[in-house]
Amino acid sequence: MKNKQKKRRKGWKYYWQQNRFYMITLLAFLILSFASLHILQNSLLENAQRTGASLARSFSVEEERSLSSYEALIRMGAGSLDRMVQETSNTEELQKWINGFFEDIENVTSGTVDPYAVLNGTFTGKGEWAQGQDYDYASTEWYQRAMEAEGKVIYTDLYEDAVYGRKVVTIAVKSGEDGNVLAFDIFPEDFQVTDHQITLPEGSSYFLCDRQGTLLYARTQLSVGREKMQEYLDGIIERMEKGNLSRQDSYIIDLDGKKRNVYYSISENGWFSIVTVPRRTILGNLRRFTLGFSVMFLLFLGFSVLVSIRNSRLNRRVERTNDTVRVLGNAYYAIYRLDYEEGTYEMIKGSDYIRKRIPKKGDYQLFLDEAAAIIEENAYMEFKQSFSIENVKKLVKRRVRDYGGDFLRLFNDEYRWVNVRLLFDESLSQGEVVICFREIDEEKQVQLHHMALMENALDKARKNEESQNRFFSTMSHDMRTPLNAIIGLTELAEKSSGNVKQTAEYLTKINTASHQLLTLINDLLEISRLEQGKIDLNREPFDIRACVESCAEIFRAQAGREKKQFHLSFDLQNPVVLGDSSRITQILNNLISNAVKYSDEGDSITVRVRQMGSQKIKKYQFIISDTGRGMTPEFLDKLFEPYEREVRFGAKGIAGTGLGMPIVKSLVSQMDGQITVESRLGEGSTFMVTLSLESVEKQKSAAGKERSQKEKEILQLAGKRILVAEDNDVNMEIATEILEMHDIKVSQAWNGREAVESFSQSPEGYFDAILMDMQMPEMDGCQAARAIRTMNRTDARTIPILAVTANAFAEDIAATTEAGMDAHISKPIDFSVLYQTLAELMGK
């Protein structure tokens, strides 16, 4: 028995002596491995904690950015509504504006927003909301909170709306001081803005909840119902609020029974952005490593090579993690650890400037004092206060994990933008935070540039909106004035049918008012064509002197009637030039008309035309001056902007659209000319238009040739058969009578369908042309033209089809061309233009 014990002792002793190195190595390896395993796990969890928190913040920022567009729209709408309420008390106008705003919002947001409002104590909305006059909005959360927020945008929690019975979040804002409120309903499915912008780690989930923790949106692989998922989130939020999930090694058990780490961020509107990451995703192959380690321990030497390989792989993984951390650290040019309990700093990484002036460790006040020399003066006091020991303690107490901002910092005599962050995390030592600095000058400049562009665009849109509102108000008045005269004088003419002289006077005045109304409409159409770039300039010989004299003669007579002096002078050596006389006449009509219009009895109007230069291409100046009312300096800056009109000192009483000067400016620019203006209030104005025109030999008998050409065109149309499609009795009668007066044979069609049938039932080549109205019942003009062009007969493709319509905007002309029509004649019809167009088309 004793011998056996001795042998046993000897054997153990021998085994120990023989394998002492391996046993010590194994023990050391075991201790080191377990320690490494623990360190690795902590490192992975620590990195995951930072990454997860950053990921949650990124989601929160993305959600805020996605909602910022809605906030911008609702703020802009509230501001416009407030201005409308201040400018008018007309309920119909306000309702019309709000309906237009609702339609704009639906177009801009592609229908993802359901807008409504409380306007002057009345609820109004779109779609099914339009029936909600009895809706008790005053008791709703969105209305009460909007009224309490005093102009700040509020967000409600998720609730079931009263009309659609669907879950919805409402954003609302109070407009002005009259209790008006704008509100948008957004459905949770429209929060899915981050799907393609932020990538979640494998197996991770993202949840967006409102202030009460109600689920708004989820990206998750959990396949459970919404009710079950809400219970799951309630548990998470409860632990979050208790602070049980703030440690890096804290976790939850998900609905599949697996461990998950939880990271979250709370946005400014109180919503929770929650990210859950499977622990296995964080720890990776750590468990397999542990199992492999156990196998290596049992096999020892046999698996030592495998252990080395495994260790090498582990080291590489740790090195990659460290590399990642270093890369993140390299994004900052300076990193400090601040011990706010001791009031000291430790420089982890510093700029060249700071390293030369303060030690790596020292009193924090020394760091703040040294920063004063390089931080922009206006920003330093705020920086000093924000990053003082007292404020840092407050931020930590409130558990603010990321705090900072941007400021200008001096780099080698040049100020550049820098972002500073104060980062707090439980993984740091007790009483410590990290302060880091990153240069962001390039991206900040881009951001500032974009903000400036947005502000300029908003300012321009705001000014354009105000100008257009003034324009439409003025246009309505100016169009109603001649229209009222036409209606009233027509009634007087009917009653005075027995008095031929009186009736003739009424008809003369009706004709004058009609042309005034036509001028207003033509100005509107002209500015539309100019903005679309749809005008063509002719290049034909004409006499400048004759052109200006013809134009000025009209206004000379008007000036004489109004007891104003009118002077016309020429300084021309080569009066015949190549150009567009009608457009030059249009320019002069606007300028001379304004000179007469904005002058008073006893004032003088002077028109001078002079030639400069002796080359073939010469400069011609048209100078129109008056001693009338003049313009304010403020209005001179806006003179050539559409819809603007001078409203000082009686100018309100002058009829006009505010489009004359923009038309003149555009025409002069398209003719490669220049226009300048000088004006003083109460002293008058001087306009100078300079055009480059090519002089030619004087053309004799040009007017006679033009008259004979027009007579020839009318003679060419005699005996022609024309199909007129028109649904208005008066317009049909006028067109038929005037065409038949010139021996043109007219067939009538009272809508587009009749026009198609008349053409299809006629022998081929029977009709020589078709005059087609655009707006007709059963089939409009464009539909009828397409139907005719597609018929299986030769003349269907060649017969001239002219659109004769009141639709005279550029887009209307484009529509008729697309439908296969050959020309466009605007109502009221200028029959001389109609005859010329018909002759040209039939000649082809």
Side-chain angles (χ1 to χ4, degrees), residues 106-164:
E106 289 182 345
N107 292 334
V108 169
T109 62
S110 302
T112 61
V113 163
D114 195 5
Y116 49 87
V118 175
L119 181 60
N120 292 336
T122 301
F123 180 84
T124 182
K126 294 284 290 181
E128 292 190 31
W129 280 112
Q131 310 299 325
Q133 285 80 0
D134 298 332
Y135 175 55
D136 185 14
Y137 64 84
S139 62
T140 61
E141 178 192 357
W142 60 266
Y143 180 79
Q144 294 174 355
R145 289 183 56 200
M147 293 299 291
E148 295 170 357
E150 290 297 330
K152 293 184 179 179
V153 177
I154 63 97
Y155 291 78
T156 69
D157 297 320
L158 190 69
Y159 69 96
E160 187 173 288
D161 81 309
V163 171
Y164 300 103

Side-chain angles (χ1 to χ4, degrees), residues 39 46 54 71 116 163 193-194 233 274 293 308 350 356 442 455 594 609 622 681 696 712 718 769 795 834:
I39 293 172
E46 181 179 351
S54 175
E71 287 192 22
Y116 49 87
V163 171
V193 298
T194 55
L233 285 172
I274 302 172
F293 172 76
S308 299
K356 294 176 182 178
E442 185 174 345
E455 289 175 359
N594 281 348
V609 184
F622 304 84
L681 196 63
V696 296
K712 182 179 179 182
D795 59 346
L834 175 62

Side-chain angles (χ1 to χ4, degrees), residues 271-302:
W271 290 2
F272 294 91
S273 292
I274 302 172
V275 177
T276 66
V277 183
R279 208 168 178 87
R280 65 182 181 183
T281 300
I282 297 173
L283 299 179
N285 295 325
L286 195 59
R287 291 185 178 180
R288 287 200 296 271
F289 172 77
T290 304
L291 179 61
F293 172 76
S294 300
V295 174
M296 285 185 289
F297 173 70
L298 294 174
L299 299 177
F300 190 53
L301 292 178

Side-chain angles (χ1 to χ4, degrees), residues 182-435:
L182 276 182
F184 294 166
D185 277 356
I186 310 174
F187 297 105
E189 54 265 28
D190 294 322
F191 292 130
Q192 302 178 23
V193 298
T194 55
D195 284 350
H196 305 293
Q197 299 178 27
I198 302 177
T199 303
L200 283 169
E202 181 181 358
S204 300
S205 298
Y206 166 65
F207 306 96
L208 177 64
C209 302
D210 65 17
R211 297 179 307 155
Q212 302 300 324
T214 305
L215 177 63
L216 298 176
Y217 161 60
R219 283 174 58 185
T220 181
Q221 298 176 358
L222 296 175
S223 55
V224 295
R226 187 178 184 90
E227 184 176 349
K228 190 72 174 176
M229 191 174 294
Q230 186 63 59
E231 292 179 5
Y232 170 62
L233 285 172
D234 289 342
I236 293 176
I237 293 173
E238 182 179 359
R239 294 190 62 185
M240 284 165 42
E241 292 176 343
K242 291 181 179 179
N244 296 339
L245 297 177
S246 58
R247 291 177 55 83
Q248 66 184 37
D249 57 350
S250 59
Y251 59 87
I252 63 167
I253 304 297
D254 67 12
L255 296 175
D256 294 331
K258 298 178 181 178
K259 295 180 180 180
R260 286 178 175 265
N261 281 29
V262 178
Y263 313 101
Y264 63 93
S265 178
I266 303 175
S267 60
E268 290 186 4
N269 62 5
W271 290 2
F272 294 91
S273 292
I274 302 172
V275 177
T276 66
V277 183
R279 208 168 178 87
R280 65 182 181 183
T281 300
I282 297 173
L283 299 179
N285 295 325
L286 195 59
R287 291 185 178 180
R288 287 200 296 271
F289 172 77
T290 304
L291 179 61
F293 172 76
S294 300
V295 174
M296 285 185 289
F297 173 70
L298 294 174
L299 299 177
F300 190 53
L301 292 178
F303 288 90
S304 59
V305 175
L306 181 60
V307 171
S308 299
I309 294 173
R310 293 277 180 164
N311 283 336
S312 176
R313 291 179 178 177
L314 178 61
N315 290 335
R316 283 198 296 271
R317 178 169 294 178
V318 172
E319 185 62 30
R320 285 177 62 82
T321 302
N322 292 335
D323 287 344
T324 303
V325 173
R326 280 194 293 272
V327 169
L328 291 174
N330 288 338
Y332 298 92
Y333 69 82
I335 302 173
Y336 302 86
R337 292 184 70 150
L338 167 63
D339 188 330
Y340 55 84
E341 298 291 354
E342 299 293 332
T344 60
Y345 73 88
E346 178 184 355
M347 186 190 302
I348 307 300
K349 182 180 181 182
S351 66
D352 294 339
Y353 179 88
I354 293 293
R355 285 202 309 269
K356 294 176 182 178
R357 286 163 175 77
I358 62 174
K360 287 192 173 182
K361 294 182 180 180
D363 184 75
Y364 182 62
Q365 187 60 45
L366 177 63
F367 167 79
L368 291 177
D369 293 341
E370 199 60 46
I374 54 176
I375 297 178
E376 191 260 333
E377 183 179 356
N378 294 330
Y380 175 70
M381 293 307 297
E382 184 178 353
F383 173 86
K384 185 177 180 180
Q385 181 180 357
S386 298
F387 293 90
S388 65
I389 295 293
E390 293 76 14
N391 196 51
V392 171
K393 289 180 179 179
K394 291 178 183 178
L395 293 171
V396 172
K397 187 175 181 180
R398 287 164 42 203
R399 307 187 71 78
V400 177
R401 299 178 178 277
D402 187 351
Y403 174 82
D406 304 336
F407 63 88
L408 285 169
R409 193 259 202 200
L410 193 62
F411 290 91
N412 298 326
D413 299 326
E414 177 188 4
Y415 279 104
R416 297 203 293 270
W417 283 99
V418 165
N419 177 261
V420 57
R421 312 306 306 172
L422 186 145
L423 305 176
F424 162 71
D425 194 275
E426 287 80 359
S427 60
L428 294 170
S429 300
Q430 181 68 29
E432 283 194 345
V433 294
V434 172
I435 301 177

